[in-house]
Amino acid sequence: MQTAIRCMAMRGGSSKGLYFRAEDLPADTSLRDRVLVAAMGAGARQIDGAGGAHPLTSKIAIVSPSRSGDADIDYLFAQVVVGENRVDTTPNCGNMLAGVGAFAVENGLVRARNGVTRIRVRMLNSGNLCELEISTPGGAVSYDGDARIDGVPGTSAPVICNYLDVAGSACGSLLPTGNATDEADGVAVTCIDNGMPVVVLRAEDLGRTGYESREELDGDDALKRGLEAIRLKLGPRMNLGDVTDKVVPKMSLIAPPRAGGHVCTRTFIPHDCHAAIGVLGAVSVATACILPGSVADGIARVPDGSVRHMSVEHPSGEFSVTLEVGGTRARPTVLKAGLLRTARLIMRGNIFVPADVWDGNA
Ligand code: NQM
């Protein structure tokens, strides 16, 4: 016996996963998480589910009409942690977020306009708001277009994501330790959360160039052990508590740009090296770059002005972030972070989970 649950598979940005309506999942959180693990597949290969045996393809978006007056829909992101049969809802995911507007329209949660539809999304993981602009000619979602993002083949309709208030999303403040630079295990770090908790480190301080390939870094056990030791120490100092079982903070190695961008990155999420960089991870790193006294001082090229287009280089290309900056030169604040993503509906139907995991009754 199996339980059928309505869902869609979508690519959101450079991630892929399952999108559910909240009402179709169990209300009880621990049962819901067991259902999500069964849907994605237990074990490291996720052979018995829809997951792709990698963090970027083991993601879930849970969407519902918003309970708050200032948003259209609520979105909860759930990372099914590959090989560990558990779910982490601590961080946001800005890639999966790129698909929730289309999902909301496809499911009748939002009425599309003719042309472009703006949808305000409350990200339940952090409580922050993002306004999405999606392409809806004739009042229906269009996935076709000529927007291109690194890490995804071909072109699609643009999804513009404007993050309105993401500082301190999980850590409570932009610089959770109160400092632009700290030290852990003798290494200088910047602990920052502008949408995603990230520890920024200079690759050269770890004896690496920061230009290594993803494969090389994934095979670098000494580096990974060192990064994890630093991560576990900094988690509590970033107000995240014990992060042993959490997928945050992410660990981002930076180096001077070498492909025309503003900074070069290699990001661990947190144990595997990202093929590119996460959306909000890139916003956090770009923000670290504009902060005087951060570890990016002297490494990043920093543009001037109140609207700063920052290009964050990563292993498979670059990620453009537009920061609207206020405050003073010494203490800049980010008022808005805008970026381009795309999304595509891949499958609509039911996913099946064994009835002994959930019999379908709330
Ligand atoms: O930082 C990967 C991704 C992400 C998360 C990760 C993301 C974000 O590429 O907002 O998008 O950092 O685990 O999907």
Side-chain angles (χ1 to χ4, degrees):
M1 289 290 287
Q2 302 224 77
T3 301
I5 311 171
R6 188 164 55 146
C7 82
M8 286 181 170
M10 298 185 76
R11 174 179 64 74
S14 51
S15 288
K16 181 169 69 172
L18 300 176
Y19 287 67
F20 292 96
R21 291 174 68 148
E23 66 189 33
D24 292 337
L25 291 170
D28 175 74
T29 311
S30 71
L31 177 57
R32 179 202 68 197
D33 288 354
R34 290 197 297 281
V35 168
L36 298 182
V37 170
M40 276 297 175
R45 291 181 62 216
Q46 296 189 317
I47 199 69
D48 200 30
H54 190 275
L56 300 184
T57 53
S58 182
K59 299 191 166 207
I60 288 180
I62 303 172
V63 182
S64 51
S66 185
R67 292 194 184 178
S68 51
D70 54 357
D72 302 303
I73 54 172
D74 287 346
Y75 150 61
L76 179 74
F77 166 64
Q79 176 80 57
V80 175
V81 185
V82 178
E84 297 183 24
N85 303 345
R86 63 186 177 81
V87 169
D88 190 0
T89 55
T90 317
N92 281 320
C93 176
N95 273 308
M96 291 293 280
L97 172 65
V100 304
F103 178 83
V105 173
E106 299 275 10
N107 282 275
L109 302 178
V110 169
R111 258 255 304 270
R113 300 160 62 100
N114 180 14
V116 169
T117 302
R118 288 194 176 76
I119 301 172
R120 280 199 158 214
V121 184
R122 169 78 56 202
M123 297 179 283
L124 294 183
N125 305 76
S126 59
N128 304 122
L129 272 180
C130 182
E131 187 176 76
L132 301 174
E133 290 174 27
I134 65 168
S135 171
T136 49
V141 180
S142 165
Y143 297 98
D144 301 333
D146 44 27
R148 181 188 301 282
I149 57 172
D150 280 325
V152 178
T155 65
S156 321
V159 177
I160 309 292
C161 311
N162 285 313
Y163 292 94
L164 303 175
D165 62 343
V166 283
S169 65
C171 302
S173 60
L174 182 71
L175 294 173
T177 65
N179 308 316
T181 304
D182 290 283
E183 205 188 283
D185 288 354
V187 180
V189 296
T190 292
C191 301
I192 190 160
D193 173 8
N194 202 17
M196 181 68 73
V198 178
V199 176
V200 185
L201 316 94
R202 287 186 287 251
E204 62 173 7
D205 290 350
L206 298 159
R208 307 298 186 277
T209 64
Y211 307 123
E212 292 83 359
S213 69
R214 173 192 181 198
E215 293 70 27
E216 219 174 309
L217 292 173
D218 266 339
D220 190 339
D221 289 333
L223 174 68
K224 285 176 148 185
R225 273 196 305 276
L227 286 176
E228 185 61 2
I230 293 174
R231 200 180 79 84
L232 295 180
K233 284 200 177 108
L234 292 173
R237 288 168 64 188
M238 294 177 75
N239 302 324
L240 294 166
D242 177 3
V243 294
T244 313
D245 288 339
K246 293 187 178 159
V247 295
V248 286
K250 316 286 181 185
M251 307 298 285
S252 195
L253 272 48
I254 58 165
R258 60 164 193 180
H262 295 92
V263 66
C264 180
T265 61
R266 296 291 184 265
T267 305
F268 288 80
I269 58 169
H271 304 125
D272 299 309
C273 182
H274 202 303
I277 186 169
V279 171
L280 289 156
V283 172
S284 289
V285 172
T287 304
C289 291
I290 68 164
L291 293 184
S294 81
V295 295
D297 233 347
I299 297 261
R301 246 177 6 99
V302 184
D304 254 342
S306 56
V307 177
R308 305 189 192 184
H309 302 288
M310 304 273 303
S311 167
V312 178
E313 298 173 7
H314 56 65
S316 52
E318 69 85 41
F319 193 105
S320 296
V321 181
T322 301
L323 300 179
E324 252 182 64
V325 182
T328 60
R329 187 175 273 271
R331 286 187 75 90
T333 51
V334 173
L335 306 174
K336 184 165 127 183
L339 40 94
L340 169 70
R341 297 279 81 193
T342 64
R344 194 173 76 81
L345 174 61
I346 298 170
M347 188 281 305
R348 179 198 331 254
N350 292 322
I351 188 133
F352 290 85
V353 298
D356 61 3
V357 175
W358 185 38
D359 61 8
N361 293 312

